Amino acid sequence: MTKIREKAMHAVFLFSACIAIFGVLMICIFLFAEGIPALREIGVFKFVFGKVWNPSADEYGVLPMILGSIYVTAGALVIGVPVGILTSVYLAMLCPVKLYRIIRPLIDILAGVPSVILGLFGITVVVPAVRSIFGGWGSSILAASVVLSIMILPTVISVAESSLRALPTSYFEGALALGATRERGAFSVMLPAASSGVAAAVVLGTGRAIGETMAVIMVAGNQSVMPSSIIKGVRTLTANIAIEMGYAAGLHRDALVATGVVLFVFILLLNLLFSALTRRRER
Amino acid sequence: MNKFEIRNLNLHYGDFHALKNIKLDIGEHRITAFIGPSGCGKSTLLRTLDRMNDLNEDCRIEGKVLLDGEDIYSRKTDVDYLRRKVGMVFQKPSPFPMSVYDNVAYGPRTHGIRKKEKLNEIVEKALRDAAIWDELKDRLTNRATGLSGGQQQRLCIARALAVNPDVILMDEPTSALDPISTAKIEELMIKLKKDYTIITVTHNMQQARRISDKTAFFLSGQVIEYEDTEKLFESPSDKRTAEYISGVFG
């Protein structure tokens, strides 16, 4: 009797796990099945390296959006990664316990802020600030980078902090016992020892930034042209799909799905990188 | 000559009174051993001597610890300088995850030595003093975490020697090692005492007896007896000491 129950429970667990796998597989199949015909019709090279996106003239080049995604993400990393890593070092090693109990929950709240709220913050604060400091419209690569950098902070901080905490305390104590200051111990011993975990934190942050849609649409300007300056508007791959999908039909619609394929390939590459890094950490 | 003079030292972890009114004089160029059952406060006292307890925010300390006559808990003490003068070797061999050379050079680099020749010289001398130069001289660029446990511990001793301390604190330095590595470390400790003051915590009473000049027996945060090692083991004056060293409890 108990044996049957155990087997039944085992099946339930397996089934639950399969639902997630099933989801991933369905997404892959749908995306590639719907996207590849369009890629074939337009031509992969013309699609990926085409500089003009003009659906009314049947011109479908996503290079502006690919570059847009890369620039916005890179900008977010330039701002978010140093801040995130310094914060994680502070939280893991230098911060007094009382302060930690205040800062940590605040960072968790930041992680839970819906992206549309971050977008509102971007529109009301970041965009006008960019406009008054640098001129132009304000909606720009720079504005999107700032908003995204805030968004990826919780991810970078949490993953980097936990990889620092996973190190033996003997590394830190050993450095202090040799007369090193806490800061030197943190930066010359702990951070290098946690380097693969910190790199994984950066990769996860990159994934969040490149996949973000709503907050970016609200502050990036969304012009589907080749980006020319960080204070000019830009459209990302995600924004391209979300903005046009509502009214697209025919080849236009398929081209948007193909845009999703390009985005998905980026995410897959980042995931491969992430698992390679975490595997190195386990060794 | 006394290196350390500990006066009326009390230490609390939160509500727990971990060290009670400790008074102890520790002589220069000797090996002093702290023995006692687990949780008796011997490691805690060792960690107060280079202010490692500062890392623990719950820890409160009253009383005086004088090093060469200066109170290390006074407001004007430079803790980083104190830790240069008072080195520490931990229970678990804990080299940094970097090369053998970089491990030993870490301390000198921390203290501003950048010249390659000078660093080479310090690293070689420290490794020779720790009696591990011959084993490691061809493996200086290897990762230290790949060495055997006994080699790692001697490397950690070399790393401590490289900052030129006066005192070396050792917290059960051989408890994670095999008998042969243990014998090497004990031999090394005896060799080092002519240049350094060594204070060691040990669970191993034979070890305390073999290597130390003076022994302090701890129980529940108090020093029960502090005597020449010979005398403490041959004719302890306190009944509890006698019971502990004869294995009645432990």
Side-chain angles (χ1 to χ4, degrees):
Chain A
M1 190 61 204
T2 46
K3 212 162 193 187
I4 296 170
R5 220 165 80 188
E6 205 167 293
K7 274 201 170 141
M9 282 315 290
H10 189 88
V12 170
F13 286 129
L14 187 65
F15 180 71
S16 309
C18 285
I19 289 179
I21 299 168
F22 183 72
V24 173
L25 278 178
M26 287 309 286
I27 290 170
C28 280
I29 292 168
F30 149 78
L31 205 56
F32 285 96
E34 298 267 307
I36 285 172
L39 281 174
R40 210 174 277 149
E41 193 172 335
I42 300 161
V44 174
F45 189 85
K46 260 181 88 181
F47 184 72
V48 175
F49 294 102
K51 291 180 184 173
V52 178
W53 177 270
N54 185 359
S56 48
D58 266 353
E59 282 187 278
Y60 300 104
V62 288
L63 188 62
M65 278 66 90
I66 292 177
L67 291 179
S69 280
I70 291 174
Y71 290 166
V72 165
T73 301
L77 294 177
V78 166
I79 306 168
V81 166
V83 175
I85 289 176
L86 290 176
T87 308
S88 69
V89 167
Y90 181 68
L91 290 179
M93 278 168 282
L94 308 174
C95 165
V97 176
K98 276 183 190 152
L99 210 54
Y100 184 83
R101 292 202 187 113
I102 299 170
I103 298 175
R104 185 71 253 179
L106 287 177
I107 291 170
D108 293 336
I109 290 175
L110 182 58
V113 172
S115 61
V116 69
I117 301 287
L118 265 167
L120 281 178
F121 168 75
I123 286 181
T124 53
V125 178
V126 181
V127 169
V130 170
R131 190 188 305 137
S132 65
I133 298 171
F134 299 98
W137 284 103
S139 296
S140 57
I141 294 181
L142 182 60
S145 296
V146 171
V147 170
L148 280 181
S149 72
I150 297 170
M151 190 154 186
I152 67 171
L153 272 181
T155 310
V156 176
I157 293 170
S158 300
V159 177
E161 187 198 339
S162 63
S163 72
L164 285 167
R165 286 195 186 277
L167 296 174
T169 50
S170 63
Y171 291 170
F172 192 48
E173 291 195 340
L176 295 192
L178 293 167
T181 59
R182 286 173 178 228
E183 289 74 21
R184 182 167 160 81
F187 286 103
S188 65
V189 177
M190 298 294 276
L191 211 46
S195 58
S196 63
V198 172
V202 173
V203 172
L204 272 187
T206 310
R208 276 214 73 181
I210 208 166
E212 177 50 31
T213 312
M214 184 48 78
V216 174
I217 291 179
M218 292 167 79
V219 298
N222 306 316
Q223 298 89 328
S224 56
V225 293
M226 293 294 280
S228 55
S229 148
I230 62 163
I231 58 161
K232 292 274 171 60
V234 72
R235 182 186 286 193
T236 62
L237 291 166
T238 52
N240 196 39
I241 302 168
I243 290 169
E244 297 188 1
M245 204 63 187
Y247 60 84
L251 183 59
H252 183 195
R253 181 184 170 279
D254 294 345
L256 292 176
V257 177
T259 308
V261 172
V262 174
L263 179 65
F264 199 63
V265 168
F266 270 106
I267 296 291
L268 285 180
L269 289 175
L270 283 173
N271 267 306
L272 283 178
L273 189 58
F274 177 76
S275 50
L277 285 167
T278 40
R279 209 170 309 136
R280 212 183 83 195
R281 181 163 48 155
E282 277 158 23
R283 245 197 282 136
Chain B
M1 255 306 270
N2 287 333
K3 195 71 190 169
F4 275 109
E5 295 175 359
I6 302 165
R7 293 288 176 268
N8 306 323
L9 183 76
N10 281 285
L11 184 146
H12 297 259
Y13 286 124
D15 298 333
F16 178 60
H17 197 173
L19 293 175
K20 296 168 189 161
N21 229 358
I22 306 284
K23 180 189 173 301
L24 215 57
D25 290 336
I26 292 167
E28 200 167 19
H29 299 305
R30 287 163 179 246
I31 299 179
T32 304
F34 294 172
I35 62 169
S38 299
C40 66
K42 55 195 191 304
S43 286
T44 303
L45 180 63
L46 195 75
R47 289 169 66 90
T48 61
L49 300 180
D50 70 345
R51 292 189 56 170
M52 269 305 183
N53 284 321
D54 287 10
L55 284 176
N56 187 330
E57 289 175 40
D58 290 338
C59 177
R60 271 186 303 121
I61 290 171
E62 297 142 22
K64 280 195 167 132
V65 178
L66 306 177
L67 170 63
D68 297 323
E70 306 255 352
D71 187 2
I72 64 171
Y73 282 94
S74 101
R75 219 165 265 239
K76 57 181 198 290
T77 304
D78 176 349
V79 179
D80 300 324
Y81 183 74
L82 166 72
R83 294 193 185 129
R84 275 172 83 169
K85 291 285 117 191
V86 182
M88 186 145 193
V89 175
F90 298 91
Q91 176 176 7
K92 195 166 158 277
S94 52
F96 303 135
M98 41 178 98
S99 73
V100 169
Y101 184 96
D102 288 340
N103 261 279
V104 183
Y106 184 84
R109 280 180 178 144
T110 297
H111 304 302
I113 295 171
R114 288 272 170 272
K115 276 215 189 102
K116 192 83 188 127
E117 312 87 73
K118 182 77 184 155
L119 280 175
N120 289 345
E121 193 186 302
I122 293 173
V123 169
E124 177 169 348
K125 181 170 189 311
L127 288 170
R128 280 190 192 284
D129 288 348
I132 197 172
W133 172 253
D134 291 330
E135 285 166 64
L136 294 186
K137 66 179 178 216
D138 301 322
R139 298 161 67 183
L140 293 177
T141 53
N142 290 18
R143 270 178 91 80
T145 39
L147 302 175
S148 75
Q151 287 173 329
Q152 287 189 10
Q153 195 62 304
R154 278 180 292 150
L155 177 66
C156 288
I157 294 173
R159 189 174 72 182
L161 296 179
V163 296
N164 196 23
D166 292 347
V167 182
I168 303 170
L169 308 175
M170 297 190 174
D171 191 357
E172 301 189 39
T174 62
S175 67
L177 304 181
D178 62 87
I180 293 170
S181 302
T182 299
K184 280 185 181 161
I185 302 244
E186 288 183 5
E187 192 185 325
L188 175 60
M189 288 165 79
I190 291 169
K191 198 188 87 181
L192 289 174
K193 79 172 179 180
K194 89 177 173 337
D195 296 316
Y196 304 91
T197 302
I198 296 176
I199 306 169
T200 181
V201 163
T202 179
H203 257 119
N204 178 335
M205 281 177 281
Q206 279 72 37
Q207 181 173 68
R209 207 167 177 173
R210 279 194 297 268
I211 62 173
S212 71
D213 301 295
K214 291 197 88 168
T215 300
F217 170 61
F218 287 72
L219 195 62
S220 321
Q222 288 173 300
V223 177
I224 303 298
E225 192 164 351
Y226 180 47
E227 265 302 342
D228 288 341
T229 299
E230 190 69 25
K231 160 103 178 22
L232 186 126
F233 281 99
E234 293 297 331
S235 51
S237 49
D238 194 287
K239 185 164 153 281
R240 289 164 293 180
T241 315
E243 282 176 359
Y244 181 73
I245 60 178
S246 61
V248 175
F249 72 100

